[in-house]
Amino acid sequence: MKNVPLLVTTIVAFSTVIGASLATVTMRANASNQATASNQAPIASQESRPAFSGTGNSLPLVQAQQPDASENLIAENNPPLDDFPHQRLILQDGATPDREFYQFREQVRQAVRNRDAAFIQALVPANGLSLGFGRPLDLQTLNLNDPNAYIWGILEKAIAPGCQELPQSNYPNTDPTAGVWSCPNVNYAFYQQYPKPAEAQGIDYEISRIIVVGQGVNVRASASVDSPVVGVLTDEVVQFDRQAWEQLPAEDRAAQLESLDSWIPVILPNGQHGYVSNQYAYSPLGYQVVFAKVNGQWQILHVPGGD
């Protein structure tokens, strides 16, 4: 986005887009692609996120389709595309249907899907909205009337998975009965289930990993839906391909992070290099959107992360 300073490092970010990463974006075209490799079984899955269902505590990001008989014949002669060790991530949504935030989040999801600028503008504090460690951005800079504005992608990625309730003591001016919520819960789950090793230096541990959120997410041989599928991932942690990323020109890396239609390079546990759609790729340091009630009205308090 031209008007919003990019707070993402050139290494990786994702959110809001695994950014948050991190995040935005054009509305997703409903691209349901049959992926076929010349020497392996095709995988039938969607590479764009379906509409929010609004039911239950978990939101399926990809609805996999069953292969037909001819695909099964091919599969008999080829190893499964998920035949490698997995670092699964268990994502538990803290927002249960009995909580007020649950219903509010459904409204936010609807507003983001419809690019309802008026609804989101009402959630922005009077002094603007801070992204990462930057100064607050006013409504004019956020440019919510543009459906392709950067903030829309951050919100879309952030509210797709579940959310995590934060300690109320950290936000004393908010309504204690409504709670304070951070979305997505991907970052929190990652640190809980795969804590940073004591010997890790700086943020190298975080920036060397990508969290893929979704059921049966395709890993492509190249950054295109027309390229062969080389792996399939489901809610798990894989290695970020920093070498492939750094070979891109700086302006291309920025564009990759800002668009959910872009691709993030990864390395599978079996050593296979590939690309995952940015809409399913989250960084441990990606954007998070913090919601709370202030003076009886829900607000977006701030959007930390993005590194």
Side-chain angles (χ1 to χ4, degrees):
M1 186 186 75
K2 295 181 179 179
N3 292 328
V4 179
L6 181 61
L7 301 174
V8 201
T9 67
T10 57
I11 300 177
V12 65
F14 313 96
S15 102
T16 209
V17 278
I18 268 75
S21 320
L22 351 152
T24 104
V25 322
T26 60
M27 292 295 293
R28 304 282 68 71
N30 293 324
S32 178
N33 300 291
Q34 294 288 0
T36 307
S38 60
N39 59 347
Q40 57 194 15
I43 296 297
S45 70
Q46 296 174 340
E47 235 120 5
S48 61
R49 183 167 282 143
F52 297 114
S53 64
T55 59
N57 294 340
S58 61
L59 184 67
L61 302 184
V62 180
Q63 183 63 50
Q65 304 171 2
Q66 294 298 320
D68 59 26
S70 62
E71 291 172 340
N72 289 334
L73 290 175
I74 300 174
E76 290 177 359
N77 299 319
N78 295 273
L81 291 175
D82 62 350
D83 185 19
F84 45 76
H86 298 271
Q87 286 190 309
R88 301 292 191 192
L89 195 70
I90 300 173
L91 294 172
Q92 295 182 335
D93 189 5
T96 53
D98 61 313
R99 300 297 300 273
E100 180 183 0
F101 176 73
Y102 181 90
Q103 300 302 326
F104 166 71
R105 185 180 61 184
E106 294 307 308
Q107 296 176 332
V108 175
R109 286 173 169 172
Q110 179 74 23
V112 171
R113 181 168 65 244
N114 295 339
R115 295 301 193 259
D116 186 343
F119 184 95
I120 301 301
Q121 284 174 3
L123 305 180
V124 176
N127 64 338
L129 188 62
S130 296
L131 273 62
F133 297 101
R135 61 179 177 81
L137 305 172
D138 59 23
L139 288 174
Q140 182 177 359
T141 305
L142 290 172
N143 196 21
L144 286 163
N145 290 318
D146 179 1
N148 299 322
Y150 186 43
I151 187 63
W152 287 116
I154 294 176
L155 292 171
E156 186 169 330
K157 285 187 72 171
I159 62 174
C163 299
Q164 174 69 31
E165 189 169 11
L166 301 178
Q168 189 75 38
S169 59
N170 295 341
Y171 300 88
N173 297 323
T174 60
D175 184 346
T177 63
V180 180
W181 299 86
S182 177
C183 308
N185 58 348
V186 176
N187 314 55
Y188 175 84
F190 171 76
Y191 285 114
Q192 288 291 311
Q193 298 169 39
Y194 299 99
K196 185 174 182 176
E199 66 275 11
Q201 300 294 318
I203 59 172
D204 189 67
Y205 175 70
E206 289 87 347
I207 64 177
S208 63
R209 284 157 178 80
I210 292 295
I211 306 161
V212 177
V213 179
Q215 303 294 314
V217 177
N218 289 332
V219 181
R220 299 279 181 177
S222 61
S224 168
V225 293
D226 298 322
S227 67
V229 176
V230 296
V232 175
L233 301 172
T234 295
D235 290 345
E236 56 192 290
V237 182
V238 292
Q239 184 179 348
F240 174 57
D241 191 346
R242 293 173 62 176
Q243 183 175 2
W245 181 258
E246 291 170 357
Q247 288 176 351
L248 295 173
E251 60 272 17
D252 290 348
R253 293 198 296 267
Q256 290 282 80
L257 294 174
E258 289 196 12
S259 173
L260 297 190
D261 289 325
S262 63
W263 299 85
I264 303 301
V266 298
I267 304 175
L268 300 180
N270 59 6
Q272 174 69 55
H273 292 246
Y275 291 80
V276 174
S277 173
N278 188 28
Q279 62 182 320
Y280 302 114
Y282 291 75
S283 165
L285 299 175
Y287 283 118
Q288 301 171 68
V289 181
V290 179
F291 298 93
K293 250 188 173 181
V294 179
N295 297 324
Q297 299 294 325
W298 283 103
Q299 282 190 359
I300 302 174
L301 298 185
H302 62 136
V303 184
D307 290 333

